Structure formats: structure tokens, C-alpha cells
Amino acid sequence: MTYWLQELQQRRWEFCNNLDVAKCDSGPPPAPRDSSKGLVARDSTDAVSPNPNDSAEKARNVLEASPGELVGEQVACQPAPGLPHTLNFTLKQWGAELKNSMSSLRSGRGHSDSRKSVFYTNEEWELLDPSPKDLEESVVQEGGQGGTGSDVGRVPHRAKRPLWSMMGSGRQRPACGDPPAEGTSGGGPAEDTQEELEQLRKDLASQKELVRLLQQTVRSSQYDKYFASSRLGEGSAPDSLQLLLQKDEQILGLAGQLQRLGLEREGLWQEVRSLRCAVAELREQLAMLLETLQAKDEVIIKLSRQLSDDPMPSSPTAPAGDPLELDRLRDDLQGYKTQNRFLNKEILELSALRGNAERRERDLLAKYSSLEAKLCQIESKYLILLQEVKTPVCSEERGPAGDVIAQLLEDALQVDAPEQPGQALLKPHPVSEYDMYGFRTVPEDDEEERLLAKVRALDLKTLHLAETQEVSTGVKWENYLAGTVNRQMARCPELKALIRAGVPHEHRSLVWKWCVEHHTRALREGTPPGYFQALLRQARERQNPASQQIELDLLRTLPSNKHYAGPACEGVQKLRNVLLAFSWRNPDIGYCQGLNRLVAVALLYLEQEDAFWCLVAIVEVFMPRDYYTKTLLGSQVDQRVFRDLMSEKLPRLHAHLEQHRVDYTLITFNWFLVVFVDSVVSDVLFKIWDSFLYEGPKVIFRFALALFKYKEEEVLRLQDSMSIFKYLRYFTRTVLDARKLISISFGDLNPFPLRQIRNRRAQHLEKVRLELTELEAIREDFLRERAASPDRGDKGELGSDEEVT
């Protein structure tokens, strides 16, 4: 019976611990006392103990019986393998084993380390071996009540009595046939019989309680065995073995983790000790400082008291308490106070005078700018009037009016000529030959073009002078850049608003470089140092198919700009290097007409390598794929998207152009391809590029629509297709007010979501691809029919070859 109880306890303990590990991994389960036992040893047929015990094997056979059998019946019929020497020791061992068994049965409720079981007695007798049906019914009943499998078989107890008291009563029970001990006094047969009867009744009650507890223990083990057989019967033996091996590995891993956490805990404790020592030292220093402050406070209080007792210390030259010396010192103090008030008053008056002077200076500057702007307007009208008054001379003779007008025109078209004192008041305002960007403002050949260019330059100067009357954006840029001295620039609404208003000339290089680096950061991270120089070296050493076309377009790039006017100019060599390096980086594109203008504008404010990455950002990041390939597929798609936007944002103008069958995409195609280079005046161009490099290609759609809205009324007044198309070819050069254009682009055209543009690009891309496929099929059919024609001669063959080429 002892062996049976031990094996029962061991099996139940291992099963409950494995079940807890399988259900939750909240904490490491208690390790079994012997790793060769448990489910792994049961599932493995090769593991045989060196000294098997026959009684233990019999107990295992009894435990592995089917749920319907009576557990313990076969063992109860057999003689015990060997009882302990005394009954007291047997009962004590049974009590300990029963406590451990009941503790393991309750292990499934969580926190196994803190679980403790207290056994109570009950006088009710219950069946020892329930049937499987009763087991299932009791399980369902207990599960509905929120209990677990380990609590099955418990019954309400009426009288609660600790188990140790029962065991104690059992240890004091004497044997029935033993004589009374010597030295005890007998009180007679009847009295001895009565005492023995009472003692036997007590022993009988305790034995009944013990048997009931044993029955509950056996029933609980029967339930555990039933659940184990039902759960483990679902999987095969190798699966259970694999599961146990995984759990053992988890136990080892958790043990290692526990050891590491212990080491980390020790390190943290050491750090805490050092910090506590540092805190103690700081507290000592604080105490010393407080003592010093207290001593100083005492000294200050003492000196204050002395000063209050003797407010005017005696002079070393005069005796203490001299009234004449005191009067002299009071007079000096009063004089100093009067002088101080006078100086403060003077300072306030001077500050007011300075503020008034600055205000008058600002008013005079604004008035001067306004007068200069009006002067430029008058000069512009004066030049236009001279052009209209001048009439062609039919004969060689010229009247006095014609000579005066010719002289006035000649004086007006002189550029930066030295002024003579006598003609200073009559000569118009001079205009520089090149603007601040290097573009020629006044052409040299055509007199009419020169006159129009000078009128346009005067109008631009008028707008620039008018802007100075308001708060300049340069002050805002100075304040923003002053705040970014110790940190990097970052995308924010403030920077976006400043860039949309326009970047000042002196800060444009910094802002453009930051924009390019921001958009190409991901591409630059995958390139080695000196990437641009390596590409340029490869393009020079090896044969580049795009180099010939690049050389042909170098001198045709921005011919009106002095930096690209001749082969010896510095900008031409830099332009060549950037285009060669880019053609080597993108062999699929190589070189496309339009890339030279993009690089030329970028080189005006960026170095060669930064201009190269600027071109990479435009082609590979901003624009869609196939935008600069031979088919220009992406450019064609954008023109269809722009037509849709025109019908939404400017319906009157779109209907007017459609009515006269004017295909305005022939004009706007170049705008999108080169981002308005050579299409607008330089001042407007660089403001467009400021926003373009920060926000991306959506800006092109905004400014293209804004240009049409800027001149919408003028276009609507034209009523024939030829005049409309002619006007659209040059009207962008007459748009001079950049502030108004920016206001239309970012104010009047809102909302302008980029998601809508992307969706329409995807829709039109499929349509354009389908059209190109159909055109290619038509072309192949045509060539096939031409090749199969029987009456095709040499002339037809030559014609077909020309068509193919």
C-alpha cells in the first residue's frame, strides 16, 4: 500500500506539472526529482531502470488500467510488500504522503509555490471507484461551477478536524491483546472495559476518517488518470515525447535566463550601492553648504544690525558723529539723484528722437521707392509712345520730328552708358545688359525686340520696387535660418510657406542643396564615396553612345545666359560633366533633349555633384517612369492629366479652347518636360523652381494652371484659332508679377490633392499604352503589306526603307 501511494503521488505530480507548463508559460515549473521519470520514461519503451521493483511495476499496471476498472482492488487483495516497523511511523508517513498528493492535485490553479492544502474530515462515506459515466457527469458538474479537474470528488464537510489529530489518536491506540503496562493502577474490570470501549470508539472514528480521505485521494487520482488518458490518447507516443523534449528545452532555457537575470540583478544592485554612496556624498556636501549658508546668513544679519545701529559710518578724517560731514554727504547724494533723473530723461528723449528719425527714414525710403517705380512706369510708357509715333521714312529726307524721335530712341536704348552732366535729367533710367541670374535682358539685333525687352525690364523693376514697400521676405528668411544654426533644416509648415513665397538670392544655394539631399538621401546611402567622380571617369574612359548628342546640345543650352554663351565658359564644361555622369548612371535613358536645360538651371546655384543629384532627383524621384525615355510615355500621360485639370479648374477657358480646336498641350508639353525653362522670365522661373524642388511635380500642374488663369480674360477675348495659338506661344513671357502668380497657384487653385493626380496618371497610362500598342500593330501590318506587294519597285523599296528609318 505504501508503494502504491508513492507511485500514485509521483505520477499525479508529474502529470499536473506537465499540464501546467502546456497551458501557460507564466513561470518555470518545479523540476522533477528524477529526469528519467514522467511522461518521457512512460512513452519510451527502451528506458529500463537498472533495479526494477516488482511492487512498483504492479502499481504502474494498476494505474494504467482502463477507467472502468477498480483501481487498487488487485493490490488490496495481495499481501503488503513490507510494512514499516511500527504503526505510528506508518500513519505519519501516510499523512505526509497524503498532504503532498493533495498539494499536487491543486497545482493547476496557478502559483504552485504558494499553494497549501489543509485536510478536513467528513463522516460521510462515498464510493471508491466511480464509473466512467459518473466521472464525466461529475466533471461537467464541476466545470460548470468553475472548478478544475483536480477538485473533482470533493464533498461539503460538516465537522472539520485536522488530519494530524487523527494520526495522533491512531498512534496512541494500544494493541487489543496487549496487557496493561506495569505500574498502572487498574480501577476494576468494569471501569477498564468502559475505558477500553471509549478508546476503541475513538480509534474507529479516526480510522473511518482516514479511510474516507484515502478514498477521496484514490478518486482524485482516478480522475487525473481519466483526463490524462483522454488527452494523451489523442496524440501518438512520439508526439508526446517530442512535446516533452520541447518542454525540457524550455525549462533549460528559462533556467539559463533566470541565471542571466540573477547576474544582471547583482550588477544592478552594485550600481544601486554606488549610487547610494554618491547620494550620501552629495548629501554631505549639501549639509556642508547649508552650514556655510547659515553661517553667512548670521554674518549678514549681524552686519545689518550694526548698519542699522550706525547708518552713517564716521569718516577717517573727521570725528564720529560730525554733523557737517553728514550734511555734506546728504548734499552729494541729493545731487547724484538729480543728475541721474536728468540723464534718464535725456536718454528717453534721445530714444524718442531716434525712433522718429527711423520712422521718417522708412517713410522716405518707401516714398522714394514709390517715386522710382512710377518713374519706371513712365519710362516704359514713354518708350512705347516713341515706338508708336515713329513712322517709316519713305524718302531719304527726314523731318525735325523724326530726327528728335530717332535720337530719343537711341538714347533710350543705350545700356549703362556714362551719364553727362547736361543730359542727366533727360536720359531715361539705364538697364543692365544681364540680370542677376546671367540672362541677357536686352537683345543686340532687333531694335523692336530691344525696346520690348527694356520695357519688360522696367516693368520688372517697378514690381520689385513695389515689393519693398511691404514686409520683405528676406527678414523672415534671416530669422528662420538664424534658428537653424545649431540644427538641421526639417520639413515644416513654416519652411513650406517661406519657400512658396520665394527664396532670396543669397540663400537659394543653401535651400536647393538641402532639398536635393532630402529627396536623394535613400539613393545616396547605397552609393560609395566619390560616386560622381567614378561615373565621370568611366564615361570619359569608355565609349559613351550619348556623348555625341550631348556635345551637339551643349552650346544650344540657354544661349541667352552668359555662363553658357561660348565653349570656353565655365558652365559649359560643368554641364558636360554632369550629363556624361548621368548618362552612365542611367543607360536606359542616356540623354534626352531637355535634360541639358534642367542641369543648366541647377548649375546656377549648385556645384557639379549637387547638380548631378538634382537631376537624379528630378528624373528618378519626382517624375514618373518613362518620362524622359525615347517614347516620352510619362510626358504624354501628364498632358492628358493636365487637360482633365483644365476642364475642372478653368472650365470657361477649356471650353473656349475646345470650341476653336486649339490643342494647348503642344505648348504645355515643353513646360512639363523642362519645368518652364525658356518659357517664363527668370524671376518667375526661379520662384517656380524653389517650390518644385521642395514639393515635387505637383507644383508644375499648379503653375501651368495659374499661367492660364493669369491671362484667362485676354485669351477669352480672342475669337479665332490662329490668334489664340499665336498668343499662347509667347504669353508666358509677359507674366511678370511673380507674387500674383504664386497667389493664384497656391491660393485660388486649392484644393489640389496629389492622390487625384496619381490616380489619373494610372488611368491614362493604361490608355496611352493601349494606343501605342495599336499604333505599333498598324505600323507592322503596313510594313508587312508593303513588303508583300508584287508590283513594288526599287523606288517603292527605297520609300519603304525611308519610312522604316
Side-chain angles (χ1 to χ4, degrees):
M1 187 174 184
T2 302
Y3 281 102
W4 181 79
L5 287 174
Q6 291 177 354
E7 293 296 326
L8 173 64
Q9 177 189 0
Q10 182 67 21
R11 286 301 183 91
R12 182 169 57 252
W13 182 83
E14 292 170 353
F15 171 74
C16 292
N17 280 281
N18 290 328
L19 186 60
D20 289 343
V21 173
K23 285 184 177 180
C24 61
D25 297 334
S26 60
R33 290 173 292 181
D34 191 357
S35 60
S36 63
K37 295 181 180 180
L39 296 175
V40 177
R42 186 187 67 182
D43 293 336
S44 178
T45 57
D46 300 333
V48 180
S49 59
N51 296 320
N53 192 300
D54 297 335
S55 300
E57 293 295 332
K58 292 178 181 179
R60 290 189 182 91
N61 294 332
V62 171
L63 289 175
E64 293 175 0
S66 61
E69 297 179 3
L70 297 177
V71 178
E73 182 179 359
Q74 300 176 3
V75 182
C77 297
Q78 297 178 1
L83 296 174
H85 295 289
T86 62
L87 182 61
N88 295 338
F89 179 78
T90 303
L91 292 175
K92 183 177 181 179
Q93 185 178 7
W94 286 357
E97 294 295 333
L98 284 173
K99 288 182 67 177
N100 295 334
S101 301
M102 296 306 293
S103 299
S104 63
L105 286 174
R106 299 169 63 89
S107 61
R109 296 187 178 183
H111 304 287
S112 60
D113 296 339
S114 62
R115 287 192 293 267
K116 295 181 181 180
S117 300
V118 180
F119 299 97
Y120 298 98
T121 61
N122 195 338
E123 296 180 358
E124 294 182 0
W125 289 82
E126 299 177 1
L127 293 176
L128 178 63
D129 298 323
S131 62
K133 183 176 181 181
D134 296 335
L135 286 173
E136 295 178 359
E137 292 177 355
S138 60
V139 168
V140 172
Q141 182 179 2
E142 291 294 328
Q145 297 174 358
T148 58
S150 61
D151 299 330
V152 176
R154 296 182 182 178
V155 295
H157 44 271
R158 304 176 206 166
K160 297 181 180 179
R161 184 181 176 189
L163 182 61
W164 294 107
S165 63
M166 297 185 301
M167 292 183 178
S169 63
R171 287 196 297 268
Q172 294 176 2
R173 184 177 61 85
C176 296
D178 293 342
E182 297 179 359
T184 57
S185 61
E191 186 177 355
D192 294 340
T193 305
Q194 187 68 23
E195 292 178 358
E196 185 177 359
L197 181 60
E198 292 294 333
Q199 186 67 29
L200 289 174
R201 288 177 180 175
K202 294 180 179 180
D203 294 342
L204 179 61
S206 62
Q207 292 299 327
K208 288 172 66 177
E209 294 287 346
L210 182 60
V211 170
R212 191 190 63 78
L213 291 175
L214 290 175
Q215 287 178 347
Q216 289 185 356
T217 305
V218 171
R219 190 188 305 106
S220 300
S221 64
Q222 188 72 11
Y223 280 117
D224 294 342
K225 184 248 180 182
Y226 176 74
F227 281 115
S229 63
S230 62
R231 293 179 181 177
L232 298 177
E234 297 176 358
S236 60
D239 295 338
S240 302
L241 179 60
Q242 186 67 22
L243 177 62
L244 291 174
L245 290 174
Q246 292 178 1
K247 296 303 177 182
D248 290 341
E249 292 177 358
Q250 291 181 2
I251 291 171
L252 294 175
L254 292 173
Q257 184 179 2
L258 180 61
Q259 186 177 4
R260 290 193 300 271
L261 292 175
L263 296 175
E264 185 178 357
R265 178 176 173 271
E266 292 296 332
L268 292 175
W269 272 113
Q270 293 179 1
E271 185 178 356
V272 168
R273 294 190 194 99
S274 62
L275 292 175
R276 286 178 179 175
C277 295
V279 169
E281 294 177 357
L282 292 175
R283 287 179 178 175
E284 292 178 359
Q285 295 179 4
L286 180 60
M288 294 174 61
L289 292 174
L290 290 176
E291 292 177 359
T292 305
L293 289 175
Q294 186 177 2
K296 290 183 178 181
D297 290 339
E298 292 177 356
V299 173
I300 291 172
I301 293 172
K302 184 177 180 181
L303 293 175
S304 300
R305 289 177 180 175
Q306 292 179 0
L307 184 61
S308 62
D309 294 340
D310 188 10
M312 297 298 294
S314 60
S315 175
T317 58
D322 189 359
L324 297 177
E325 185 66 21
L326 292 176
D327 293 338
R328 186 180 63 82
L329 291 175
R330 290 192 184 98
D331 293 340
D332 292 341
L333 180 60
Q334 188 66 27
Y336 287 138
K337 289 182 178 179
T338 305
Q339 186 178 3
N340 190 17
R341 286 195 297 269
F342 174 75
L343 292 177
N344 289 336
K345 184 178 180 181
E346 289 292 325
I347 291 173
L348 292 176
E349 291 180 356
L350 290 175
S351 299
L353 291 174
R354 181 183 176 183
N356 294 332
E358 291 179 352
R359 185 166 55 256
R360 285 197 302 270
E361 184 180 0
R362 287 195 298 269
D363 295 340
L364 291 175
L365 287 176
K367 186 176 180 181
Y368 169 75
S369 300
S370 177
L371 292 175
E372 191 175 2
K374 291 180 179 179
L375 177 62
C376 292
Q377 291 179 354
I378 292 172
E379 289 180 0
S380 176
K381 295 177 181 179
Y382 166 74
L383 293 175
I384 295 174
L385 179 60
L386 289 177
Q387 181 68 21
E388 292 179 354
V389 171
K390 181 182 178 181
T391 56
V393 181
C394 298
S395 61
E396 296 181 357
E397 298 180 358
R398 179 179 298 179
D403 295 337
V404 173
I405 292 174
Q407 185 63 34
L408 291 174
L409 284 174
E410 184 179 356
D411 294 339
L413 294 178
Q414 288 181 1
V415 179
D416 292 341
E419 296 182 359
Q420 299 179 3
Q423 299 178 353
L425 298 176
L426 299 177
K427 185 178 179 180
H429 194 281
V431 177
S432 177
E433 184 179 2
Y434 294 96
D435 61 4
M436 60 187 300
Y437 309 105
F439 291 94
R440 184 182 295 275
T441 57
V442 180
E444 298 178 353
D445 301 332
D446 192 1
E447 182 179 352
E448 184 177 359
E449 290 293 331
R450 292 176 61 194
L451 186 62
L452 293 177
K454 189 165 184 180
V455 171
R456 185 163 53 247
L458 289 171
D459 292 338
L460 283 173
K461 190 169 184 180
T462 302
L463 294 171
H464 178 71
L465 292 172
E467 290 180 359
T468 59
Q469 300 178 18
E470 301 179 0
V471 179
S472 176
T473 58
V475 178
K476 298 180 181 178
W477 272 103
E478 291 292 341
N479 296 334
Y480 176 79
L481 294 177
T484 59
V485 174
N486 298 324
R487 60 181 176 87
Q488 294 290 335
M489 295 173 61
R491 295 177 67 92
C492 60
E494 181 184 3
L495 180 60
K496 184 177 181 180
L498 287 175
I499 290 179
R500 284 185 172 183
V503 183
H505 174 71
E506 59 272 15
H507 303 311
R508 185 165 282 141
S509 297
L510 175 64
V511 176
W512 281 21
K513 183 178 181 180
W514 176 83
C515 291
V516 171
E517 290 177 353
H518 174 75
H519 290 294
T520 59
R521 185 178 294 115
L523 299 176
R524 289 193 179 190
E525 290 177 354
T527 58
Y531 177 70
F532 171 73
Q533 300 297 334
L535 289 176
L536 183 59
R537 185 169 53 254
Q538 293 177 1
R540 289 175 177 175
E541 293 175 356
R542 302 180 185 180
Q543 184 178 2
N544 192 349
S547 59
Q548 184 177 1
Q549 186 64 34
I550 290 174
E551 291 295 332
L552 292 176
D553 288 346
L554 285 178
L555 296 180
R556 292 185 291 183
T557 303
L558 302 183
S560 61
N561 193 288
K562 63 181 180 180
H563 301 290
Y564 305 99
C569 295
E570 182 183 4
V572 174
Q573 181 59 35
K574 292 183 178 180
L575 180 62
R576 179 186 293 108
N577 295 338
V578 174
L579 291 176
L580 287 175
F582 181 81
S583 65
W584 195 261
R585 172 183 170 86
N586 293 278
D588 296 338
I589 298 176
Y591 173 74
C592 175
Q593 288 185 353
L595 298 181
N596 55 337
R597 299 182 186 180
L598 298 175
V599 176
V601 173
L603 283 172
L604 293 178
Y605 284 99
L606 300 174
E607 294 297 329
Q608 294 186 68
E609 186 172 358
D610 295 327
F612 165 77
W613 286 110
C614 179
L615 183 61
V616 171
I618 294 173
V619 177
E620 300 182 16
V621 179
F622 289 164
M623 298 304 185
R625 192 177 179 181
D626 297 333
Y627 211 88
Y628 293 98
T629 56
K630 295 180 179 179
T631 59
L632 299 176
L633 181 61
S635 302
Q636 299 181 43
V637 171
D638 272 2
Q639 296 309 306
R640 301 196 179 192
V641 175
F642 180 70
R643 185 184 292 273
D644 294 344
L645 294 176
M646 278 282 291
S647 62
E648 292 180 4
K649 303 292 184 179
L650 303 174
R652 293 172 55 215
L653 182 60
H654 176 74
H656 181 71
L657 296 176
E658 290 293 330
Q659 178 183 359
H660 294 281
R661 297 181 180 180
V662 176
D663 188 5
Y664 52 88
T665 58
L666 299 176
I667 306 296
T668 59
F669 185 85
N670 190 53
W671 297 359
F672 283 76
L673 196 65
V674 297
V675 195
F676 299 100
V677 179
D678 283 342
S679 298
V680 294
V681 295
S682 57
D683 189 61
V684 176
L685 172 66
F686 287 100
K687 284 183 171 57
I688 294 175
W689 270 66
D690 293 338
S691 301
F692 170 69
L693 292 180
Y694 182 80
E695 300 185 43
K698 183 175 68 172
V699 172
I700 304 178
F701 289 95
R702 281 185 176 272
F703 278 98
L705 292 171
L707 286 172
F708 279 103
K709 188 174 181 59
Y710 193 100
K711 297 290 184 178
E712 182 178 11
E713 298 300 328
E714 287 81 353
V715 177
L716 291 175
R717 282 195 291 265
L718 302 175
Q719 297 300 326
D720 61 287
S721 58
M722 293 299 296
S723 60
I724 293 175
F725 192 80
K726 184 179 179 181
Y727 181 79
L728 293 180
R729 291 185 61 183
Y730 73 89
F731 85 99
T732 55
R733 305 291 299 181
T734 62
V735 176
L736 304 178
D737 194 352
R739 295 174 63 251
K740 180 180 178 182
L741 184 66
I742 291 172
S743 176
I744 295 173
S745 301
F746 299 108
D748 298 345
L749 296 178
N750 285 332
F752 208 89
L754 182 60
R755 180 176 63 256
Q756 181 183 7
I757 295 177
R758 290 175 178 172
N759 294 337
R760 292 187 176 181
R761 274 177 172 172
Q763 296 174 2
H764 288 293
L765 181 61
E766 298 297 329
K767 296 179 181 179
V768 173
R769 284 179 177 174
L770 182 61
E771 292 176 2
L772 291 178
T773 304
E774 294 177 355
L775 289 175
E776 186 65 23
I778 294 173
R779 178 177 176 275
E780 291 178 357
D781 293 341
F782 176 75
L783 293 178
R784 193 180 303 109
E785 292 177 359
R786 295 279 295 181
S789 178
D791 55 348
R792 181 172 58 88
D794 295 338
K795 183 176 180 180
E797 183 178 359
L798 180 60
S800 62
D801 292 340
E802 291 177 354
E803 289 178 358
V804 172
T805 57

